[in-house]
Amino acid sequence: RVLPGLKRDSGAALAVVNGENAAGGAGITRDTAAELFAAGADVVTTGNHVWDKREALSLLAQDPRILRPLNYPDPCPGGGIALVSAGGVPVAVVNVMGRVFMPLVDDPFRSMDRALDEIGARASVVLVDVHAEATSEKMALGWYLDGRVTAIAGTHTHVATPDARILPGGTAYITDAGMTGPHDSVIGVRKEQVLERFLSQRPLPYETAENDVRLSGVLIDVDERTGRATAIERVEVPERAAETGR
């Protein structure tokens, strides 16, 4: 409901959406992926929940616009790099996952080195979704890739961080772009269930909350000639804005 208007009003040429929780809070399906693309997503990234729905195995193998972290071992279906066109400008979108407090995957730093070697001269604009738990690991990757990629947006922890900035080498950076979903919740889950789990320490099911839905993310301006970012801005748009037109 919000993304089409946001793309129109901002003049955005490309929308990258992390969809790993699109299917009721866990995983991605054909139907939820189709909804994201219909709303204006051009590339869908994921993370450690990408395999939560079994159909993701065939979905990722068949649709190169849906990425999984590139540093999962090679037998995993799908890939971690998408090459697309944004208004005639070639863009590489890369999905990589951290290792601190996360599933065991290959080294994200050296995996990014190999990814940039693979991209080479095919795209001067390179956007990276760093899906990681630890803010320190995301920041370290930011400094490691500064000047080598256009932008790095952190995902996974659901809470937007106030550190959007342009690093010295011209790379736009934010530790976490925030959660698109119900904010009357505990990171998207019904707060009553989460409170009960904390108070009782019993394993209880999680259900997605419903109220105060917002789109969270960043708008990034890019110099297409140099591949450097010129601006990054946090955006948070409530769902009701699409209903009222404001």
Side-chain angles (χ1 to χ4, degrees):
R1 294 178 181 173
V2 172
L3 183 57
L6 181 60
K7 286 186 74 175
R8 180 189 65 247
D9 296 342
S10 67
L14 185 76
V16 179
V17 174
N18 186 292
E20 74 149 5
N21 297 126
I28 188 167
T29 62
R30 291 184 186 279
D31 288 345
T32 52
E35 289 178 8
L36 294 176
F37 289 127
D42 297 290
V43 178
V44 174
T45 56
T46 58
N48 57 300
H49 286 293
V50 63
W51 315 118
D52 285 6
K53 297 291 186 286
R54 189 172 185 82
E55 65 187 271
L57 296 171
S58 58
L59 179 61
L60 267 70
Q62 295 165 3
D63 194 333
R65 299 173 300 169
I66 305 174
L67 303 179
R68 48 87 170 163
L70 62 89
N71 49 333
Y72 267 110
D74 284 339
C76 290
I81 303 172
L83 290 167
V84 296
S85 176
V89 177
V91 176
V93 180
V94 185
N95 195 179
V96 68
M97 191 162 76
R99 294 193 293 186
V100 179
F101 308 126
M102 295 288 278
L104 184 61
V105 290
D106 295 338
D107 177 4
F109 294 84
R110 292 175 178 84
S111 295
M112 281 302 309
D113 288 339
R114 291 190 291 271
L116 293 177
D117 287 341
E118 180 180 339
I119 294 165
R122 291 189 288 172
S124 60
V125 177
V126 181
L127 309 177
V128 185
D129 175 347
V130 176
H131 196 78
E133 183 79 39
T135 54
S136 59
E137 189 174 26
K138 294 179 187 181
M139 288 182 181
L141 274 163
W143 289 113
Y144 187 70
L145 297 173
D146 182 28
R148 302 166 65 194
V149 302
T150 306
I152 297 168
T155 59
H156 178 67
T157 48
H158 295 231
V159 179
T161 53
D163 61 344
R165 56 178 166 160
I166 306 294
L167 297 176
T171 295
Y173 174 85
I174 188 168
T175 298
D176 200 288
M179 178 188 74
T180 292
H183 283 244
D184 181 19
S185 68
V186 176
I187 61 172
V189 178
R190 287 181 55 202
K191 51 186 182 291
E192 298 83 3
Q193 292 176 313
V194 178
L195 286 169
E196 181 63 23
R197 285 178 68 115
F198 276 119
L199 291 168
S200 70
Q201 291 301 302
R202 290 186 295 122
L204 298 169
Y206 282 147
E207 293 178 308
T208 305
E210 298 180 355
N211 297 324
D212 190 14
V213 179
R214 309 177 200 172
L215 180 150
S216 295
V218 287
L219 287 171
I220 299 167
D221 292 336
V222 175
D223 184 333
E224 62 191 59
R225 296 173 295 105
T226 64
R228 297 293 178 259
T230 57
I232 179 171
E233 175 189 359
R234 264 270 306 141
V235 293
E236 186 170 281
V237 185
E239 184 183 29
R240 62 179 179 272
E243 299 169 353
T244 62
R246 293 183 295 172

